[in-house]
Amino acid sequence: MKFWEESGRIKIAAPAKINLFLEILGKRQDGYHEIETVMQEVSLFDYIYLEYRDEGVEFTCSRPGLTTGEDNLVLKAVRLIQKESNTKKGVKIHLDKRIPVSAGLGGGSSDAVATLAGLNKLWQIGFNEKQLVTLAGKLGSDTPFFVYGKTAICRGRGEVITPYPIDLRYYFIIIYPRFEVGTATVYKNFKISLTKNLKDVSFLLNALSSGSPEKLGSSLHNRLEEVVFRLYPELGRTRDILKSFDFCNVLLSGSGSSLYGLCREENGIKEIEQKIRSLNVGDVFVVTNDF
């Protein structure tokens, strides 16, 4: 997450995420699933513009059809930080929406955390990182990750975060198939199987630290792929098409609908990107984890 500040105004780059690893460990008593996932920020951004107001909240968005009402996570973040800081200060917000919606890329959660962090600065509230994590957890399961960002292991419902610092660069090509997948629908149709061997996240972490795209590719894992491809067979067909390219591996991000390919090296990425674009299977984004 990046910030640009000037008098009474803040611009924030809110990054997308991909899941390098996602295992479902079981069903919780609260109805949620117990997960273990490795989330990675990537260089695809929404941009949020905050301008100080003495009172009142005005919210606009560049994407037609995206709600700007109280059910938007950005406004939920505003109301939450107003309540928790006991302030009546106002703000004018504009969201330049570039991350696809309901695509497994965490755009809404990232926007919410960017709003929390931005207003913490704009209104000079003084919440620390731990307090922001607590607030973020009230907005969603994967929102706390974006307070830390970069690379992290996320457990529980996704809200228990362990940062995993790496100083290595990997390149990915994300393909958004231009339709949304409902996370709730995917989890509702996921069946816990005691006969399946659970994947150990340590293999992914070791591969991630190796700097080898080939090793990382062989360790990428998403337990939700099976149910998503069953519910949305066209996604499975797109995955098969992408596997014909020279990727180390192709994986679904989160509960979908976006897929991504892990590139072997920087050279040749442009050629692969152009070939995928020519197939018109979706919107294409070339990203890196090191930005």
Side-chain angles (χ1 to χ4, degrees), residues 167-223:
D167 189 23
L168 298 162
R169 177 175 292 181
Y170 293 99
Y171 292 92
F172 307 88
I173 297 181
I174 296 173
I175 300 88
Y176 170 63
R178 303 191 187 112
F179 65 83
E180 302 175 7
V181 166
T183 299
T185 300
V186 172
Y187 276 98
K188 181 180 178 182
N189 284 273
F190 181 81
K191 300 293 187 290
I192 299 291
S193 174
L194 299 178
T195 62
K196 285 192 174 178
N197 293 322
L198 298 179
K199 295 285 187 179
D200 187 342
V201 71
S202 64
F203 292 105
L204 182 283
L205 297 175
N206 289 336
L208 186 60
S209 300
S210 72
S212 167
E214 288 78 12
K215 288 183 180 179
L216 179 57
S218 66
S219 301
L220 296 175
H221 169 68
N222 186 342
R223 183 64 72 188

Coordinates of all heavy atoms in Angstrom, one line a residue, residues 167-223:
D167 N 12.6 -11.3 -0.1 CA 13.2 -10.3 -0.9 C 13.5 -10.8 -2.3 O 14.7 -10.8 -2.7 CB 14.4 -9.8 -0.2 CG 15.0 -8.5 -0.8 OD1 14.2 -7.8 -1.5 OD2 16.2 -8.3 -0.7
L168 N 12.5 -11.4 -2.9 CA 12.6 -12.0 -4.2 C 11.5 -11.5 -5.1 O 10.4 -11.2 -4.7 CB 12.6 -13.5 -4.1 CG 13.7 -14.2 -3.2 CD1 13.2 -15.6 -2.8 CD2 15.0 -14.2 -4.0
R169 N 11.8 -11.5 -6.4 CA 10.8 -11.1 -7.4 C 10.3 -12.2 -8.2 O 11.1 -13.0 -8.8 CB 11.4 -10.0 -8.3 CG 10.5 -9.5 -9.3 CD 11.0 -8.3 -10.1 NE 11.2 -7.1 -9.3 CZ 11.7 -6.0 -9.7 NH1 12.1 -5.8 -11.0 NH2 11.7 -4.9 -8.9
Y170 N 9.0 -12.3 -8.3 CA 8.3 -13.2 -9.2 C 7.3 -12.5 -10.1 O 6.8 -11.4 -9.7 CB 7.5 -14.3 -8.4 CG 8.4 -15.2 -7.5 CD1 8.6 -15.0 -6.2 CD2 9.0 -16.3 -8.1 CE1 9.4 -15.8 -5.4 CE2 9.8 -17.2 -7.4 CZ 10.0 -16.9 -6.0 OH 10.8 -17.8 -5.3
Y171 N 7.1 -13.0 -11.3 CA 6.2 -12.4 -12.2 C 5.0 -13.3 -12.5 O 5.2 -14.5 -12.6 CB 6.9 -12.1 -13.5 CG 8.0 -11.0 -13.4 CD1 9.3 -11.4 -13.2 CD2 7.7 -9.7 -13.6 CE1 10.3 -10.4 -13.1 CE2 8.6 -8.7 -13.5 CZ 9.9 -9.1 -13.2 OH 10.9 -8.1 -13.1
F172 N 3.8 -12.7 -12.6 CA 2.6 -13.4 -12.8 C 1.8 -12.7 -13.9 O 1.9 -11.5 -14.1 CB 1.7 -13.4 -11.5 CG 2.5 -13.9 -10.3 CD1 3.2 -13.0 -9.5 CD2 2.4 -15.3 -9.9 CE1 3.8 -13.5 -8.3 CE2 3.0 -15.7 -8.8 CZ 3.8 -14.8 -8.0
I173 N 1.0 -13.5 -14.6 CA 0.0 -12.9 -15.5 C -1.4 -13.4 -15.0 O -1.7 -14.6 -14.9 CB 0.2 -13.4 -17.0 CG1 1.6 -12.9 -17.5 CG2 -0.9 -12.9 -17.8 CD1 1.8 -13.3 -18.9
I174 N -2.2 -12.4 -14.6 CA -3.5 -12.6 -14.1 C -4.5 -12.5 -15.2 O -4.5 -11.6 -16.1 CB -3.9 -11.6 -13.0 CG1 -3.0 -11.8 -11.8 CG2 -5.4 -11.8 -12.6 CD1 -3.2 -10.7 -10.7
I175 N -5.5 -13.5 -15.3 CA -6.5 -13.5 -16.3 C -7.9 -13.4 -15.6 O -8.2 -14.3 -14.8 CB -6.5 -14.7 -17.2 CG1 -5.1 -14.8 -17.9 CG2 -7.6 -14.7 -18.2 CD1 -4.0 -15.5 -17.2
Y176 N -8.6 -12.3 -15.8 CA -10.0 -12.2 -15.2 C -11.0 -12.5 -16.3 O -11.0 -11.8 -17.3 CB -10.2 -10.8 -14.7 CG -11.6 -10.5 -14.3 CD1 -12.2 -11.2 -13.3 CD2 -12.4 -9.5 -15.0 CE1 -13.6 -11.0 -12.9 CE2 -13.7 -9.3 -14.6 CZ -14.3 -10.0 -13.6 OH -15.6 -9.7 -13.3
P177 N -11.8 -13.6 -16.1 CA -12.6 -14.0 -17.2 C -13.9 -13.2 -17.5 O -14.8 -13.6 -18.3 CB -13.0 -15.5 -16.8 CG -13.0 -15.4 -15.3 CD -11.9 -14.4 -15.0
R178 N -14.0 -12.1 -16.8 CA -15.1 -11.1 -17.0 C -16.4 -11.6 -16.5 O -17.5 -11.2 -17.0 CB -15.2 -10.7 -18.5 CG -14.0 -10.1 -19.1 CD -14.2 -9.5 -20.5 NE -13.0 -9.1 -21.1 CZ -12.5 -9.7 -22.2 NH1 -13.1 -10.7 -22.8 NH2 -11.3 -9.3 -22.7
F179 N -16.4 -12.5 -15.5 CA -17.6 -12.8 -14.7 C -17.2 -13.0 -13.3 O -16.0 -13.3 -13.0 CB -18.4 -14.0 -15.3 CG -17.6 -15.3 -15.3 CD1 -17.6 -16.1 -14.1 CD2 -16.9 -15.7 -16.4 CE1 -17.0 -17.3 -14.1 CE2 -16.3 -17.0 -16.4 CZ -16.3 -17.7 -15.2
E180 N -18.1 -12.9 -12.4 CA -17.9 -12.9 -11.0 C -18.2 -14.3 -10.4 O -19.1 -15.0 -11.0 CB -18.7 -11.9 -10.2 CG -18.4 -10.4 -10.7 CD -19.3 -9.4 -10.1 OE1 -20.1 -9.8 -9.1 OE2 -19.2 -8.2 -10.5
V181 N -17.5 -14.7 -9.4 CA -17.8 -15.9 -8.6 C -18.1 -15.5 -7.2 O -17.4 -14.8 -6.6 CB -16.6 -16.9 -8.7 CG1 -16.8 -18.0 -7.7 CG2 -16.4 -17.5 -10.1
G182 N -19.2 -16.1 -6.7 CA -19.6 -15.8 -5.3 C -18.9 -16.7 -4.3 O -19.0 -17.9 -4.4
T183 N -18.1 -16.0 -3.4 CA -17.4 -16.8 -2.4 C -18.3 -17.7 -1.6 O -18.0 -18.9 -1.3 CB -16.6 -15.9 -1.5 OG1 -15.6 -15.1 -2.3 CG2 -15.8 -16.6 -0.5
A184 N -19.4 -17.1 -1.1 CA -20.3 -17.9 -0.3 C -20.8 -19.1 -1.0 O -21.0 -20.2 -0.4 CB -21.5 -17.0 0.1
T185 N -21.1 -19.0 -2.3 CA -21.6 -20.1 -3.1 C -20.6 -21.2 -3.2 O -20.9 -22.4 -3.0 CB -22.0 -19.7 -4.5 OG1 -23.0 -18.7 -4.4 CG2 -22.5 -20.8 -5.4
V186 N -19.3 -20.8 -3.4 CA -18.2 -21.8 -3.5 C -18.1 -22.6 -2.2 O -18.0 -23.8 -2.1 CB -16.9 -21.1 -3.8 CG1 -15.7 -22.1 -3.7 CG2 -17.0 -20.5 -5.2
Y187 N -18.0 -21.9 -1.0 CA -17.8 -22.6 0.3 C -19.1 -23.4 0.6 O -18.9 -24.5 1.2 CB -17.6 -21.5 1.4 CG -16.1 -21.2 1.4 CD1 -15.6 -20.0 0.8 CD2 -15.2 -22.0 2.1 CE1 -14.3 -19.7 0.9 CE2 -13.8 -21.7 2.2 CZ -13.4 -20.5 1.6 OH -12.0 -20.2 1.6
K188 N -20.3 -23.0 0.2 CA -21.5 -23.7 0.5 C -21.4 -25.1 -0.2 O -21.9 -26.1 0.3 CB -22.7 -22.9 0.0 CG -24.0 -23.6 0.3 CD -25.2 -22.8 -0.2 CE -26.5 -23.5 0.0 NZ -27.7 -22.6 -0.5
N189 N -20.8 -25.1 -1.4 CA -20.7 -26.3 -2.2 C -19.5 -27.2 -1.9 O -19.3 -28.2 -2.5 CB -20.8 -26.0 -3.7 CG -22.2 -25.6 -4.1 OD1 -23.0 -26.5 -4.4 ND2 -22.6 -24.4 -4.0
F190 N -18.6 -26.6 -1.1 CA -17.4 -27.4 -0.7 C -17.7 -28.5 0.3 O -18.3 -28.2 1.3 CB -16.3 -26.4 -0.2 CG -15.0 -27.2 0.1 CD1 -14.1 -27.5 -0.9 CD2 -14.7 -27.5 1.4 CE1 -12.9 -28.1 -0.6 CE2 -13.6 -28.2 1.8 CZ -12.6 -28.5 0.8
K191 N -17.3 -29.7 0.0 CA -17.5 -30.8 0.9 C -16.2 -31.2 1.6 O -15.2 -31.5 0.9 CB -18.1 -32.0 0.2 CG -19.5 -31.7 -0.5 CD -20.6 -31.4 0.5 CE -21.9 -31.3 -0.1 NZ -22.1 -30.0 -0.9
I192 N -16.2 -31.2 2.9 CA -15.0 -31.7 3.6 C -14.8 -33.2 3.4 O -15.8 -33.9 3.6 CB -15.1 -31.4 5.1 CG1 -15.3 -29.9 5.4 CG2 -13.9 -31.9 5.9 CD1 -14.0 -29.1 5.1
S193 N -13.6 -33.6 3.0 CA -13.4 -35.0 2.8 C -12.2 -35.4 3.7 O -11.1 -34.9 3.6 CB -13.0 -35.3 1.3 OG -12.6 -36.6 1.2
L194 N -12.5 -36.4 4.6 CA -11.5 -36.8 5.5 C -10.5 -37.8 4.8 O -9.4 -38.1 5.4 CB -12.1 -37.6 6.6 CG -13.1 -36.8 7.5 CD1 -13.7 -37.7 8.6 CD2 -12.4 -35.6 8.1
T195 N -10.8 -38.2 3.6 CA -9.9 -39.1 2.9 C -8.8 -38.3 2.1 O -7.8 -38.9 1.6 CB -10.7 -39.9 1.9 OG1 -11.3 -39.1 0.9 CG2 -11.7 -40.7 2.6
K196 N -9.0 -37.0 1.9 CA -8.0 -36.2 1.2 C -6.8 -35.9 2.1 O -7.0 -35.5 3.2 CB -8.6 -35.0 0.6 CG -9.5 -35.2 -0.6 CD -9.9 -34.0 -1.3 CE -10.7 -34.3 -2.5 NZ -11.2 -33.1 -3.2
N197 N -5.6 -36.0 1.5 CA -4.4 -35.6 2.2 C -4.3 -34.1 2.2 O -4.2 -33.5 1.1 CB -3.2 -36.3 1.6 CG -3.2 -37.8 1.8 OD1 -3.6 -38.3 2.8 ND2 -2.7 -38.5 0.7
L198 N -4.2 -33.5 3.3 CA -4.0 -32.0 3.4 C -2.6 -31.7 3.0 O -1.6 -32.3 3.4 CB -4.3 -31.5 4.8 CG -5.7 -31.7 5.3 CD1 -5.9 -31.2 6.8 CD2 -6.8 -31.1 4.4
K199 N -2.5 -30.6 2.2 CA -1.2 -30.1 1.8 C -0.5 -29.4 3.0 O -1.1 -28.6 3.7 CB -1.3 -29.2 0.6 CG -1.8 -29.9 -0.7 CD -0.7 -30.8 -1.3 CE -1.2 -31.3 -2.7 NZ -0.2 -32.1 -3.3
D200 N 0.8 -29.6 3.1 CA 1.6 -28.9 4.1 C 2.1 -27.6 3.5 O 2.9 -27.6 2.5 CB 2.8 -29.8 4.5 CG 3.6 -29.2 5.7 OD1 3.4 -28.0 6.0 OD2 4.3 -30.0 6.3
V201 N 1.8 -26.4 4.2 CA 2.2 -25.1 3.7 C 3.7 -24.9 3.7 O 4.2 -24.1 2.9 CB 1.5 -24.0 4.5 CG1 2.1 -23.9 5.9 CG2 1.6 -22.7 3.8
S202 N 4.4 -25.7 4.5 CA 5.9 -25.5 4.6 C 6.6 -25.8 3.2 O 7.6 -25.1 2.9 CB 6.5 -26.4 5.7 OG 6.3 -27.8 5.3
F203 N 6.0 -26.7 2.4 CA 6.6 -26.9 1.1 C 6.5 -25.7 0.2 O 7.5 -25.3 -0.5 CB 6.0 -28.1 0.4 CG 6.3 -29.4 1.1 CD1 5.3 -30.0 1.9 CD2 7.5 -30.0 1.0 CE1 5.5 -31.2 2.6 CE2 7.8 -31.2 1.7 CZ 6.8 -31.8 2.5
L204 N 5.4 -25.0 0.3 CA 5.2 -23.8 -0.5 C 6.1 -22.7 0.0 O 6.8 -22.0 -0.8 CB 3.7 -23.3 -0.4 CG 3.3 -22.1 -1.1 CD1 3.7 -20.8 -0.5 CD2 3.7 -22.1 -2.6
L205 N 6.3 -22.6 1.3 CA 7.1 -21.5 1.9 C 8.6 -21.7 1.5 O 9.3 -20.8 1.2 CB 6.9 -21.4 3.4 CG 5.5 -21.1 3.9 CD1 5.4 -21.2 5.4 CD2 5.1 -19.7 3.4
N206 N 9.0 -23.0 1.6 CA 10.4 -23.3 1.2 C 10.7 -23.0 -0.3 O 11.7 -22.4 -0.6 CB 10.7 -24.8 1.5 CG 10.8 -25.1 3.0 OD1 11.1 -24.2 3.8 ND2 10.6 -26.3 3.3
A207 N 9.7 -23.3 -1.1 CA 9.8 -23.0 -2.5 C 9.8 -21.5 -2.8 O 10.6 -21.0 -3.6 CB 8.7 -23.7 -3.3
L208 N 9.0 -20.8 -2.1 CA 8.9 -19.3 -2.2 C 10.2 -18.7 -1.9 O 10.6 -17.7 -2.5 CB 7.7 -18.8 -1.3 CG 7.4 -17.3 -1.4 CD1 6.9 -17.0 -2.8 CD2 6.3 -17.0 -0.4
S209 N 10.9 -19.2 -0.8 CA 12.1 -18.6 -0.4 C 13.3 -19.0 -1.3 O 14.4 -18.5 -1.1 CB 12.4 -19.0 1.1 OG 11.4 -18.6 1.9
S210 N 13.1 -20.0 -2.2 CA 14.2 -20.5 -3.0 C 14.6 -19.5 -4.1 O 15.7 -19.6 -4.6 CB 13.8 -21.8 -3.6 OG 12.8 -21.7 -4.6
G211 N 13.6 -18.7 -4.5 CA 13.9 -17.8 -5.7 C 13.7 -18.5 -7.0 O 13.9 -17.9 -8.1
S212 N 13.3 -19.8 -7.0 CA 13.1 -20.6 -8.2 C 11.6 -20.6 -8.6 O 10.8 -21.2 -7.9 CB 13.6 -22.0 -8.0 OG 13.2 -22.8 -9.1
P213 N 11.3 -20.0 -9.7 CA 9.9 -20.1 -10.2 C 9.4 -21.5 -10.4 O 8.3 -21.8 -10.1 CB 9.9 -19.3 -11.5 CG 11.0 -18.3 -11.4 CD 12.1 -19.1 -10.6
E214 N 10.3 -22.3 -10.9 CA 10.0 -23.7 -11.1 C 9.6 -24.4 -9.8 O 8.6 -25.2 -9.8 CB 11.1 -24.5 -11.8 CG 11.3 -24.1 -13.3 CD 12.1 -22.8 -13.4 OE1 12.6 -22.3 -12.4 OE2 12.1 -22.2 -14.5
K215 N 10.4 -24.2 -8.8 CA 10.1 -24.9 -7.5 C 8.8 -24.3 -6.9 O 7.9 -25.0 -6.4 CB 11.2 -24.6 -6.5 CG 12.4 -25.5 -6.8 CD 13.5 -25.2 -5.7 CE 14.8 -26.1 -6.0 NZ 15.8 -25.8 -5.0
L216 N 8.6 -23.0 -7.0 CA 7.4 -22.4 -6.5 C 6.2 -22.9 -7.3 O 5.1 -23.2 -6.7 CB 7.5 -20.8 -6.6 CG 6.2 -20.1 -6.2 CD1 5.9 -20.4 -4.7 CD2 6.4 -18.6 -6.3
G217 N 6.3 -23.0 -8.6 CA 5.2 -23.5 -9.4 C 4.7 -24.9 -9.0 O 3.5 -25.1 -9.0
S218 N 5.7 -25.7 -8.7 CA 5.3 -27.1 -8.3 C 4.6 -27.2 -7.0 O 4.0 -28.2 -6.6 CB 6.5 -28.0 -8.3 OG 7.4 -27.6 -7.3
S219 N 4.7 -26.1 -6.2 CA 4.1 -26.1 -4.8 C 2.8 -25.3 -4.7 O 2.2 -25.3 -3.7 CB 5.1 -25.5 -3.8 OG 6.3 -26.3 -3.8
L220 N 2.4 -24.6 -5.8 CA 1.2 -23.8 -5.8 C 0.0 -24.8 -5.5 O -0.1 -25.8 -6.1 CB 1.0 -23.0 -7.1 CG 2.0 -22.0 -7.4 CD1 1.7 -21.4 -8.8 CD2 2.0 -20.9 -6.4
H221 N -1.0 -24.3 -4.7 CA -2.1 -25.2 -4.4 C -3.3 -24.4 -4.0 O -3.2 -23.4 -3.3 CB -1.6 -26.1 -3.2 CG -2.8 -26.9 -2.6 ND1 -3.4 -27.9 -3.2 CD2 -3.4 -26.7 -1.3 CE1 -4.4 -28.4 -2.4 NE2 -4.4 -27.7 -1.3
N222 N -4.4 -24.9 -4.5 CA -5.7 -24.2 -4.1 C -6.8 -25.3 -4.0 O -7.2 -25.9 -5.0 CB -6.2 -23.2 -5.1 CG -7.4 -22.4 -4.7 OD1 -8.1 -22.9 -3.8 ND2 -7.6 -21.3 -5.3
R223 N -7.2 -25.7 -2.8 CA -8.1 -26.7 -2.5 C -9.5 -26.4 -3.1 O -10.3 -27.3 -3.4 CB -8.3 -27.0 -1.0 CG -9.2 -28.1 -0.6 CD -8.7 -29.5 -1.1 NE -7.5 -29.9 -0.4 CZ -6.8 -31.0 -0.8 NH1 -7.1 -31.7 -1.8 NH2 -5.7 -31.4 0.0

